[in-house]
Coordinates of all heavy atoms in Angstrom, one line a residue:
L202 N 25.0 21.6 -14.6 CA 25.0 21.3 -13.2 C 24.6 22.6 -12.4 O 24.6 22.5 -11.1 CB 26.4 20.8 -12.7 CG 26.9 19.6 -13.5 CD1 28.3 19.2 -13.1 CD2 25.9 18.5 -13.4
E203 N 24.3 23.6 -13.0 CA 23.8 24.8 -12.3 C 22.4 25.2 -12.8 O 21.8 24.5 -13.5 CB 24.8 26.0 -12.5 CG 26.0 25.8 -11.6 CD 27.1 26.8 -11.9 OE1 26.7 27.9 -12.4 OE2 28.2 26.5 -11.6
G204 N 21.9 26.4 -12.4 CA 20.6 26.9 -12.9 C 19.5 26.4 -11.9 O 19.7 25.5 -11.2
Q205 N 18.4 27.2 -12.0 CA 17.3 26.9 -11.1 C 16.5 25.7 -11.4 O 15.9 25.1 -10.6 CB 16.4 28.2 -11.0 CG 17.2 29.3 -10.3 CD 16.4 30.6 -10.5 OE1 15.5 30.7 -11.3 NE2 16.8 31.6 -9.8
K206 N 16.4 25.4 -12.7 CA 15.6 24.2 -13.0 C 16.4 23.5 -14.1 O 17.6 23.2 -13.8 CB 14.2 24.5 -13.5 CG 14.0 25.8 -14.2 CD 12.5 26.0 -14.7 CE 12.4 25.6 -16.2 NZ 11.1 25.5 -16.6
T207 N 15.9 23.1 -15.2 CA 16.7 22.3 -16.1 C 17.6 23.2 -16.9 O 18.2 22.7 -17.9 CB 15.8 21.5 -17.1 OG1 14.9 22.4 -17.7 CG2 15.0 20.5 -16.3
G208 N 17.7 24.5 -16.6 CA 18.6 25.4 -17.4 C 17.8 26.6 -17.8 O 17.4 27.4 -17.0
A209 N 17.4 26.7 -19.1 CA 16.7 27.8 -19.6 C 15.2 27.5 -19.5 O 14.8 26.4 -19.3 CB 17.1 28.2 -21.0
F210 N 14.4 28.6 -19.7 CA 13.0 28.5 -19.8 C 12.6 28.2 -21.2 O 12.2 29.2 -21.9 CB 12.3 29.7 -19.1 CG 12.5 29.7 -17.6 CD1 13.6 30.2 -17.1 CD2 11.6 29.1 -16.8 CE1 13.8 30.2 -15.7 CE2 11.7 29.0 -15.4 CZ 12.9 29.6 -14.9
L211 N 12.7 27.0 -21.7 CA 12.5 26.7 -23.1 C 11.1 26.9 -23.5 O 10.8 27.2 -24.7 CB 12.9 25.2 -23.3 CG 14.3 24.8 -23.0 CD1 14.5 23.3 -23.2 CD2 15.3 25.6 -24.0
D212 N 10.2 26.9 -22.5 CA 8.8 27.1 -22.9 C 8.5 28.5 -23.4 O 7.5 28.7 -24.0 CB 7.9 26.7 -21.6 CG 8.3 27.4 -20.4 OD1 9.3 28.2 -20.4 OD2 7.7 27.2 -19.3
Q213 N 9.4 29.4 -23.1 CA 9.2 30.8 -23.6 C 9.8 31.1 -25.0 O 9.7 32.2 -25.5 CB 9.8 31.8 -22.6 CG 9.1 31.9 -21.2 CD 7.9 32.7 -21.3 OE1 7.2 32.9 -22.3 NE2 7.5 33.3 -20.2
R214 N 10.4 30.1 -25.6 CA 11.2 30.3 -26.8 C 10.4 31.1 -27.9 O 10.9 32.1 -28.4 CB 11.7 29.0 -27.4 CG 12.5 29.1 -28.7 CD 13.0 27.8 -29.1 NE 12.0 26.8 -29.0 CZ 11.1 26.5 -30.0 NH1 11.2 27.2 -31.1 NH2 10.2 25.5 -29.9
E215 N 9.2 30.7 -28.2 CA 8.4 31.4 -29.2 C 7.9 32.7 -28.7 O 7.7 33.6 -29.5 CB 7.3 30.5 -29.7 CG 7.8 29.2 -30.4 CD 6.6 28.2 -30.6 OE1 5.5 28.4 -30.2 OE2 6.9 27.1 -31.2
N216 N 7.7 32.9 -27.4 CA 7.3 34.2 -26.9 C 8.4 35.2 -27.0 O 8.2 36.4 -27.1 CB 6.8 34.0 -25.5 CG 5.6 33.1 -25.4 OD1 4.8 33.0 -26.4 ND2 5.4 32.4 -24.3
Y217 N 9.7 34.7 -26.8 CA 10.8 35.7 -27.0 C 10.8 36.3 -28.4 O 10.9 37.5 -28.6 CB 12.2 34.9 -26.9 CG 12.5 34.3 -25.6 CD1 13.3 33.2 -25.5 CD2 12.0 34.9 -24.4 CE1 13.6 32.6 -24.3 CE2 12.4 34.3 -23.1 CZ 13.2 33.1 -23.1 OH 13.5 32.6 -21.9
A218 N 10.6 35.4 -29.4 CA 10.6 35.9 -30.8 C 9.3 36.8 -31.0 O 9.5 37.8 -31.7 CB 10.5 34.7 -31.7
A219 N 8.2 36.5 -30.4 CA 7.0 37.3 -30.6 C 7.2 38.7 -29.9 O 6.9 39.7 -30.5 CB 5.8 36.6 -29.9
A220 N 7.8 38.7 -28.7 CA 8.0 40.0 -28.0 C 9.0 40.9 -28.8 O 8.8 42.1 -28.9 CB 8.6 39.7 -26.6
A221 N 10.0 40.2 -29.4 CA 11.0 41.0 -30.2 C 10.3 41.8 -31.3 O 10.8 42.9 -31.7 CB 12.1 40.1 -30.7
Q222 N 9.2 41.3 -31.9 CA 8.6 42.0 -33.0 C 8.1 43.4 -32.6 O 7.9 44.2 -33.4 CB 7.3 41.2 -33.4 CG 7.6 39.9 -34.1 CD 6.3 39.3 -34.6 OE1 5.5 38.8 -33.8 NE2 6.0 39.5 -35.9
Y223 N 7.8 43.6 -31.3 CA 7.2 44.8 -30.9 C 8.2 45.7 -30.2 O 7.9 46.8 -29.6 CB 6.0 44.6 -29.9 CG 5.0 43.6 -30.5 CD1 5.1 42.3 -30.1 CD2 4.1 44.0 -31.5 CE1 4.2 41.3 -30.7 CE2 3.2 43.1 -32.0 CZ 3.3 41.7 -31.6 OH 2.4 40.8 -32.2
A224 N 9.5 45.3 -30.1 CA 10.5 46.0 -29.3 C 11.0 47.2 -30.0 O 11.3 47.2 -31.2 CB 11.6 45.0 -29.0
H225 N 11.0 48.3 -29.3 CA 11.7 49.5 -29.8 C 12.0 50.4 -28.5 O 11.4 50.2 -27.5 CB 10.9 50.3 -30.8 CG 9.6 50.8 -30.2 ND1 8.5 50.1 -30.1 CD2 9.3 52.1 -29.8 CE1 7.5 50.9 -29.5 NE2 8.0 52.1 -29.3
G226 N 12.8 51.4 -28.7 CA 13.1 52.4 -27.6 C 13.7 51.7 -26.4 O 14.6 50.9 -26.5
E227 N 13.1 52.1 -25.2 CA 13.7 51.6 -24.0 C 12.9 50.4 -23.5 O 11.6 50.4 -23.4 CB 13.6 52.7 -23.0 CG 14.7 53.8 -23.3 CD 14.5 55.0 -22.3 OE1 15.1 55.0 -21.3 OE2 13.8 55.9 -22.7
A228 N 13.6 49.3 -23.0 CA 12.9 48.1 -22.6 C 13.3 47.8 -21.2 O 14.4 48.0 -20.7 CB 13.4 47.0 -23.5
L229 N 12.3 47.2 -20.5 CA 12.5 46.7 -19.1 C 12.1 45.2 -19.1 O 10.9 44.9 -19.4 CB 11.7 47.6 -18.1 CG 11.8 47.2 -16.6 CD1 13.3 47.5 -16.1 CD2 10.8 48.1 -15.8
D230 N 13.0 44.3 -18.7 CA 12.6 42.9 -18.6 C 12.6 42.6 -17.1 O 13.7 42.5 -16.5 CB 13.7 42.1 -19.4 CG 13.5 40.6 -19.2 OD1 12.5 40.2 -18.6 OD2 14.3 39.8 -19.7
V231 N 11.4 42.4 -16.5 CA 11.3 42.2 -15.1 C 11.2 40.7 -14.8 O 10.4 40.0 -15.5 CB 10.1 42.9 -14.5 CG1 10.1 42.8 -13.0 CG2 10.1 44.4 -15.0
F232 N 12.0 40.1 -13.9 CA 12.2 38.7 -13.6 C 12.9 38.1 -14.9 O 12.4 37.2 -15.5 CB 10.8 38.0 -13.4 CG 10.0 38.6 -12.4 CD1 9.0 39.5 -12.7 CD2 10.1 38.2 -11.0 CE1 8.2 40.0 -11.7 CE2 9.3 38.7 -10.0 CZ 8.3 39.6 -10.3
C233 N 14.1 38.7 -15.1 CA 14.8 38.4 -16.4 C 15.6 37.1 -16.4 O 16.0 36.6 -17.4 CB 15.7 39.5 -16.7 SG 17.1 39.8 -15.6
Y234 N 15.8 36.5 -15.2 CA 16.6 35.2 -15.0 C 17.9 35.4 -15.9 O 18.7 36.4 -15.6 CB 15.8 34.1 -15.5 CG 16.4 32.7 -15.3 CD1 16.9 32.3 -14.1 CD2 16.5 31.8 -16.4 CE1 17.5 31.0 -13.9 CE2 17.1 30.5 -16.2 CZ 17.6 30.2 -15.0 OH 18.1 28.9 -14.8
Q235 N 18.2 34.6 -16.8 CA 19.5 34.7 -17.5 C 19.4 35.5 -18.8 O 20.3 35.4 -19.6 CB 20.0 33.2 -17.8 CG 20.2 32.5 -16.5 CD 20.7 31.0 -16.7 OE1 20.6 30.5 -17.8 NE2 21.1 30.4 -15.7
G236 N 18.3 36.3 -18.9 CA 18.2 37.3 -19.9 C 17.5 36.9 -21.2 O 17.6 37.5 -22.2
G237 N 16.7 35.8 -21.1 CA 15.9 35.3 -22.3 C 15.2 36.4 -23.1 O 15.5 36.6 -24.3
F238 N 14.3 37.2 -22.4 CA 13.6 38.2 -23.1 C 14.5 39.4 -23.4 O 14.6 39.9 -24.6 CB 12.4 38.7 -22.3 CG 11.2 37.9 -22.4 CD1 10.8 37.0 -21.4 CD2 10.4 37.9 -23.5 CE1 9.7 36.2 -21.5 CE2 9.2 37.1 -23.6 CZ 8.9 36.3 -22.6
A239 N 15.3 39.8 -22.4 CA 16.2 41.0 -22.6 C 17.0 40.9 -23.8 O 17.2 41.8 -24.6 CB 17.0 41.2 -21.4
L240 N 17.6 39.7 -24.0 CA 18.6 39.6 -25.1 C 17.9 39.5 -26.5 O 18.5 39.7 -27.5 CB 19.5 38.3 -24.9 CG 20.4 38.6 -23.7 CD1 21.1 37.3 -23.3 CD2 21.5 39.6 -24.0
H241 N 16.6 39.0 -26.5 CA 15.9 39.0 -27.7 C 15.4 40.5 -28.1 O 15.2 40.8 -29.2 CB 14.6 38.1 -27.6 CG 14.9 36.7 -27.9 ND1 15.5 35.9 -26.9 CD2 14.8 35.9 -29.0 CE1 15.7 34.7 -27.5 NE2 15.2 34.7 -28.7
L242 N 15.2 41.3 -27.0 CA 14.7 42.7 -27.3 C 15.9 43.6 -27.7 O 15.7 44.5 -28.5 CB 14.1 43.3 -26.0 CG 12.9 42.5 -25.4 CD1 12.4 43.2 -24.2 CD2 11.8 42.3 -26.5
A243 N 17.1 43.3 -27.2 CA 18.2 44.1 -27.3 C 18.6 44.6 -28.8 O 18.8 45.8 -29.0 CB 19.5 43.5 -26.7
P244 N 18.5 43.7 -29.8 CA 18.8 44.2 -31.1 C 17.9 45.3 -31.6 O 18.3 46.0 -32.6 CB 18.7 42.9 -32.0 CG 18.7 41.8 -31.1 CD 18.2 42.3 -29.8
H245 N 16.7 45.4 -31.0 CA 15.7 46.4 -31.5 C 15.6 47.6 -30.7 O 14.7 48.4 -30.9 CB 14.4 45.7 -31.7 CG 14.4 44.3 -32.3 ND1 14.5 44.2 -33.7 CD2 14.5 43.1 -31.8 CE1 14.6 42.9 -33.9 NE2 14.6 42.2 -32.8
C246 N 16.3 47.7 -29.6 CA 16.1 48.7 -28.6 C 17.3 49.6 -28.4 O 18.4 49.1 -28.6 CB 15.7 48.1 -27.2 SG 14.1 47.3 -27.3
S247 N 17.1 50.8 -27.9 CA 18.2 51.7 -27.6 C 18.8 51.4 -26.3 O 20.0 51.7 -26.0 CB 17.7 53.2 -27.7 OG 16.6 53.4 -26.8
Q248 N 18.0 50.9 -25.4 CA 18.4 50.6 -24.0 C 17.6 49.5 -23.4 O 16.4 49.5 -23.5 CB 18.2 51.9 -23.2 CG 18.0 51.8 -21.7 CD 19.4 51.7 -21.0 OE1 20.4 52.2 -21.5 NE2 19.5 51.0 -19.9
V249 N 18.3 48.5 -22.8 CA 17.6 47.4 -22.2 C 18.0 47.2 -20.7 O 19.2 47.2 -20.5 CB 17.8 46.1 -22.9 CG1 17.0 44.9 -22.3 CG2 17.4 46.2 -24.4
T250 N 17.1 47.1 -19.8 CA 17.4 46.8 -18.4 C 16.7 45.5 -18.0 O 15.5 45.3 -18.3 CB 16.8 48.0 -17.5 OG1 17.4 49.2 -18.0 CG2 17.2 47.7 -16.1
G251 N 17.5 44.6 -17.4 CA 16.9 43.4 -16.9 C 17.0 43.4 -15.3 O 18.0 43.8 -14.8
V252 N 15.9 42.9 -14.7 CA 15.8 42.9 -13.2 C 15.6 41.5 -12.7 O 14.7 40.8 -13.2 CB 14.7 43.8 -12.8 CG1 14.6 43.8 -11.2 CG2 14.8 45.2 -13.3
D253 N 16.3 41.1 -11.7 CA 16.1 39.8 -11.1 C 16.6 39.8 -9.7 O 17.5 40.6 -9.4 CB 16.7 38.6 -11.9 CG 16.0 37.3 -11.6 OD1 16.3 36.7 -10.6 OD2 15.2 36.9 -12.5
S254 N 16.1 39.0 -8.8 CA 16.6 39.0 -7.4 C 17.7 38.0 -7.3 O 18.4 37.9 -6.2 CB 15.5 38.6 -6.4 OG 14.9 37.4 -6.8
S255 N 18.0 37.2 -8.3 CA 19.0 36.2 -8.2 C 20.3 36.6 -8.8 O 20.4 36.8 -10.0 CB 18.5 34.9 -8.9 OG 19.6 34.1 -9.2
R256 N 21.3 36.8 -8.0 CA 22.6 37.2 -8.5 C 23.2 36.2 -9.4 O 23.7 36.5 -10.5 CB 23.6 37.5 -7.3 CG 25.0 37.9 -7.8 CD 25.9 38.3 -6.6 NE 25.5 39.6 -6.1 CZ 26.0 40.7 -6.5 NH1 27.0 40.8 -7.4 NH2 25.6 41.9 -6.0
P257 N 23.2 34.9 -9.1 CA 23.8 33.9 -10.0 C 23.1 33.9 -11.4 O 23.8 33.8 -12.4 CB 23.5 32.5 -9.3 CG 23.3 32.8 -7.9 CD 22.8 34.2 -7.8
A258 N 21.8 34.1 -11.4 CA 21.1 34.2 -12.7 C 21.6 35.4 -13.5 O 21.8 35.3 -14.7 CB 19.6 34.3 -12.5
L259 N 21.8 36.6 -12.8 CA 22.3 37.8 -13.5 C 23.7 37.6 -14.0 O 24.1 38.2 -15.0 CB 22.1 39.0 -12.5 CG 20.7 39.4 -12.2 CD1 20.7 40.6 -11.3 CD2 19.9 39.8 -13.5
E260 N 24.5 36.9 -13.2 CA 25.9 36.6 -13.7 C 25.9 35.9 -15.0 O 26.6 36.2 -15.9 CB 26.7 35.9 -12.6 CG 27.1 36.8 -11.5 CD 27.6 36.2 -10.2 OE1 27.7 34.9 -10.2 OE2 27.9 36.9 -9.3
V261 N 25.0 34.9 -15.1 CA 24.9 34.2 -16.4 C 24.3 35.1 -17.5 O 24.8 35.1 -18.6 CB 24.0 32.9 -16.3 CG1 23.9 32.2 -17.6 CG2 24.6 32.0 -15.2
A262 N 23.3 36.0 -17.1 CA 22.7 36.9 -18.0 C 23.8 37.8 -18.6 O 23.8 38.1 -19.8 CB 21.7 37.8 -17.3
D263 N 24.7 38.2 -17.7 CA 25.8 39.1 -18.2 C 26.7 38.4 -19.2 O 27.2 39.0 -20.2 CB 26.5 39.7 -17.0 CG 27.3 40.9 -17.3 OD1 26.7 41.8 -18.0 OD2 28.5 41.1 -16.9
R264 N 27.0 37.2 -18.9 CA 27.9 36.4 -19.8 C 27.1 36.2 -21.1 O 27.7 36.2 -22.2 CB 28.3 35.1 -19.1 CG 29.3 35.2 -18.0 CD 29.5 33.9 -17.3 NE 29.9 32.9 -18.2 CZ 29.6 31.6 -18.1 NH1 28.8 31.2 -17.1 NH2 30.1 30.7 -19.0
N265 N 25.8 36.0 -21.0 CA 25.0 35.8 -22.2 C 25.1 37.1 -23.1 O 25.2 37.0 -24.3 CB 23.6 35.4 -21.9 CG 23.5 34.0 -21.4 OD1 24.3 33.2 -21.7 ND2 22.4 33.7 -20.7
A266 N 25.0 38.2 -22.4 CA 25.0 39.5 -23.1 C 26.3 39.6 -23.9 O 26.4 40.0 -25.1 CB 24.8 40.7 -22.2
A267 N 27.4 39.3 -23.2 CA 28.8 39.4 -23.8 C 28.9 38.4 -25.0 O 29.4 38.8 -26.1 CB 29.8 39.1 -22.8
L268 N 28.3 37.3 -24.9 CA 28.3 36.3 -25.9 C 27.7 36.8 -27.2 O 28.1 36.5 -28.3 CB 27.6 35.0 -25.4 CG 27.7 33.7 -26.2 CD1 29.1 33.2 -26.3 CD2 26.8 32.6 -25.6
N269 N 26.7 37.7 -27.0 CA 25.9 38.2 -28.2 C 26.4 39.6 -28.5 O 25.8 40.3 -29.4 CB 24.4 38.3 -27.9 CG 23.8 36.9 -27.8 OD1 23.6 36.2 -28.8 ND2 23.7 36.3 -26.6
G270 N 27.4 40.1 -27.8 CA 27.9 41.5 -28.1 C 26.9 42.6 -27.8 O 26.8 43.6 -28.4
R271 N 26.1 42.3 -26.7 CA 25.0 43.3 -26.4 C 25.4 44.0 -25.0 O 26.0 43.4 -24.2 CB 23.7 42.6 -26.2 CG 23.2 41.9 -27.4 CD 22.6 42.9 -28.4 NE 22.4 42.2 -29.7 CZ 22.4 42.8 -30.9 NH1 22.6 44.1 -30.9 NH2 22.2 42.2 -32.0
D272 N 24.9 45.2 -24.9 CA 25.1 45.9 -23.7 C 23.7 46.0 -23.0 O 22.8 46.7 -23.4 CB 25.6 47.3 -24.1 CG 26.1 48.1 -22.9 OD1 26.4 47.4 -21.9 OD2 26.3 49.3 -23.1

Side-chain angles (χ1 to χ4, degrees):
L202 305 180
E203 285 174 25
Q205 292 168 346
K206 34 176 257 169
T207 57
F210 290 84
L211 299 175
D212 50 3
Q213 290 282 26
R214 177 176 48 86
E215 294 170 355
N216 297 332
Y217 296 150
Q222 286 187 288
Y223 309 99
H225 67 277
E227 290 174 84
L229 182 64
D230 177 7
V231 189
F232 305 95
C233 66
Y234 186 54
Q235 299 176 349
F238 278 103
L240 292 168
H241 277 80
L242 304 181
H245 314 282
C246 291
S247 54
Q248 157 80 30
V249 180
T250 302
V252 181
D253 203 281
S254 58
S255 160
R256 178 176 287 266
L259 292 178
E260 280 165 4
V261 181
D263 201 41
R264 290 173 56 217
N265 286 338
L268 192 61
N269 292 281
R271 300 284 168 206
D272 192 15

